[in-house]
Amino acid sequence: MEETKGVVKHVLLAKFKDDVPLQKIDELIQGYADLVNHIQPMKSFQWGKDVSIENLHQGFTHIFESSFDSTEGVAEYVSHPKHVEFANLFLGHLDKVLVIDYKPTTVRC
Amino acid sequence: MEETKGVVKHVLLAKFKDDVPLQKIDELIQGYADLVNHIQPMKSFQWGKDVSIENLHQGFTHIFESSFDSTEGVAEYVSHPKHVEFANLFLGHLDKVLVIDYKPTTVRC
């Protein structure tokens, strides 16, 4: 039923462990960003810290959004050795992680 | 420390209650989208269903992303009567909700 082509956004929410220094967090974010230079199907990357005011963040402090041309592209990314290596490092510094992928339906942009 | 101007993305993850019919879910999504026509600081809206393959979605099934020009714009949106009315309706149909706002740092777009 689902088409496999078209933009797929890959959204990861993270809460770093309390004992991870800010410098290490910066390094990890740079490492995440650097994946876009190594994994061909990864087309874009952006990130930010939570600034929400509704207190519905459930402890998550950072969000990372990358985009792909297809769900196959995401699958290639997930199994890519550069991603696997980075994910092992990154996840070891997290208390919480949540991942959603979606094909955006845009109402207004 | 934080600047208040610049794009702010408002990301909401949702899991609808199991007994909410698909038609009602469609209506709620249309109602969410319609807010962009009524709340001036809300600049864009897109949404999608989770298609992730990593099993890290923690039960969330839908994601909604809107954008604003500033954190003040988000605050105006949150307290806008049209949003308050919609949120009361929408949240009543959800099992889980999570909200993150962030000012994207774009590495590649």
Side-chain angles (χ1 to χ4, degrees):
Chain A
M1 193 178 89
E2 297 285 349
E3 291 177 25
T4 58
K5 290 287 175 187
V7 173
V8 180
K9 290 192 170 189
H10 178 75
V11 176
L12 185 146
L13 308 186
K15 179 190 182 300
F16 289 95
K17 290 177 179 170
D18 290 336
D19 63 353
V20 181
L22 283 180
Q23 187 182 340
K24 172 55 79 176
I25 291 176
D26 287 345
E27 282 176 28
L28 290 166
I29 293 171
Q30 290 309 310
Y32 199 155
D34 187 50
L35 295 179
V36 83
N37 299 313
H38 297 284
I39 305 181
Q40 189 273 331
M42 186 183 185
K43 300 302 182 193
S44 71
F45 176 78
Q46 57 178 219
W47 69 277
K49 290 192 286 185
D50 178 49
V51 295
S52 64
I53 56 176
E54 294 175 281
N55 202 28
L56 293 170
H57 53 72
Q58 298 189 13
F60 289 100
T61 55
H62 290 70
I63 180 166
F64 304 87
E65 183 195 280
S66 42
S67 67
F68 297 82
D69 282 344
S70 65
T71 50
E72 289 85 351
V74 179
E76 187 180 334
Y77 163 83
V78 168
S79 62
H80 192 288
K82 279 275 183 190
H83 173 263
V84 172
E85 181 187 353
F86 175 73
N88 285 336
L89 176 69
F90 187 67
L91 294 174
H93 290 85
L94 300 185
D95 263 343
K96 296 176 68 169
V97 64
L98 193 161
V99 175
I100 292 262
D101 296 347
Y102 72 110
K103 301 175 182 182
T105 297
T106 299
V107 175
R108 183 183 293 181
C109 66
Chain B
M1 193 178 90
E2 297 284 347
E3 292 176 26
T4 57
K5 290 287 175 189
V7 172
V8 180
K9 290 192 170 189
H10 178 75
V11 176
L12 185 146
L13 308 186
K15 178 189 183 301
F16 289 94
K17 291 177 179 171
D18 290 337
D19 62 354
V20 181
L22 283 180
Q23 187 183 339
K24 172 55 79 176
I25 292 176
D26 287 344
E27 282 176 29
L28 290 166
I29 293 171
Q30 290 308 311
Y32 199 155
D34 187 49
L35 295 179
V36 83
N37 299 314
H38 297 284
I39 305 180
Q40 188 274 332
M42 186 182 185
K43 301 301 182 191
S44 71
F45 176 77
Q46 57 179 219
W47 69 278
K49 290 191 286 185
D50 178 48
V51 295
S52 65
I53 56 176
E54 294 175 281
N55 201 27
L56 293 170
H57 53 72
Q58 297 188 15
F60 290 100
T61 55
H62 290 70
I63 180 167
F64 303 87
E65 183 197 279
S66 42
S67 67
F68 298 83
D69 281 345
S70 65
T71 50
E72 290 85 351
V74 179
E76 187 180 335
Y77 162 82
V78 168
S79 62
H80 192 288
K82 279 275 185 190
H83 173 262
V84 172
E85 181 187 352
F86 176 73
N88 285 336
L89 176 70
F90 187 66
L91 294 174
H93 291 84
L94 301 185
D95 263 342
K96 297 176 68 170
V97 63
L98 193 161
V99 175
I100 292 263
D101 296 347
Y102 71 110
K103 300 175 182 181
T105 298
T106 300
V107 174
R108 183 183 292 180
C109 65

